[in-house]
Amino acid sequence: MIEEDHLIKTTGWTKEVLRGMETSFLMSTILRIGSLMKVGFGSAGVEIIRNNLQKGQNKTMLILTAQGSTVSCIFLFCDIRQFTDATECLQEEVFVFTNRIAAVVHSICHSYGGAANKNIGDAFL
């Protein structure tokens, strides 16, 4: 929002006027797309995109022809056994149950220097 303050000072426009402009809507949309990309690509993907942007001119351009890098990693996929049966028994407490298991999975991954990338219902990657 530093840019918004700069525009207010240089143009004399109010915040209400700036928020009604198409550039404000575009900026909001771009930020939302960035958030979706963060969710879709995970933390590793965010780092790749960030590094790619930093190599671009003025840090505002993606270099789509840049050579990739090799990353050594280990993938773990786990699934809660008999989750359907558990949901029938636990009913509305199923979220508490799933979140507790997620906390264990995330803490173990983090303790080994990793990160749980995706939680999809009863499955974790």
Side-chain angles (χ1 to χ4, degrees):
M1 293 306 135
I2 296 169
E3 295 170 2
E4 185 179 79
D5 294 336
H6 177 70
L7 281 172
I8 290 170
K9 288 179 184 176
T10 57
T11 62
W13 293 333
T14 63
K15 283 189 177 188
E16 291 77 28
V17 170
L18 286 174
R19 288 189 181 131
M21 292 185 167
E22 288 180 22
T23 53
S24 176
F25 294 125
L26 286 172
M27 186 58 124
S28 173
T29 302
I30 290 168
L31 290 173
R32 288 182 187 157
I33 290 171
S35 296
L36 287 172
M37 287 175 69
K38 189 185 261 186
V39 170
F41 292 121
S43 58
V46 169
E47 282 300 314
I48 291 168
I49 292 168
R50 180 181 295 127
N51 290 338
N52 191 299
L53 278 170
Q54 287 177 345
K55 292 176 186 173
Q57 296 174 346
N58 300 326
K59 299 182 181 182
T60 60
M61 182 175 66
L62 277 173
I63 303 171
L64 300 176
T65 58
Q67 182 155 349
S69 60
T70 302
V71 178
S72 296
C73 57
I74 297 172
F75 290 94
L76 168 73
F77 177 81
C78 64
D79 183 68
I80 302 172
R81 286 188 180 176
Q82 299 175 335
F83 186 70
T84 304
D85 297 336
T87 58
E88 290 174 7
C89 294
L90 295 172
Q91 295 181 359
E92 55 278 332
E93 293 296 316
V94 73
F95 291 111
V96 174
F97 173 69
T98 307
N99 287 339
R100 285 186 180 163
I101 293 173
V104 171
V105 170
H106 283 251
S107 66
I108 291 171
C109 288
H110 184 71
S111 69
Y112 285 95
N117 195 15
K118 301 278 184 215
N119 298 343
I120 307 166
D122 66 334
F124 303 93
L125 175 64

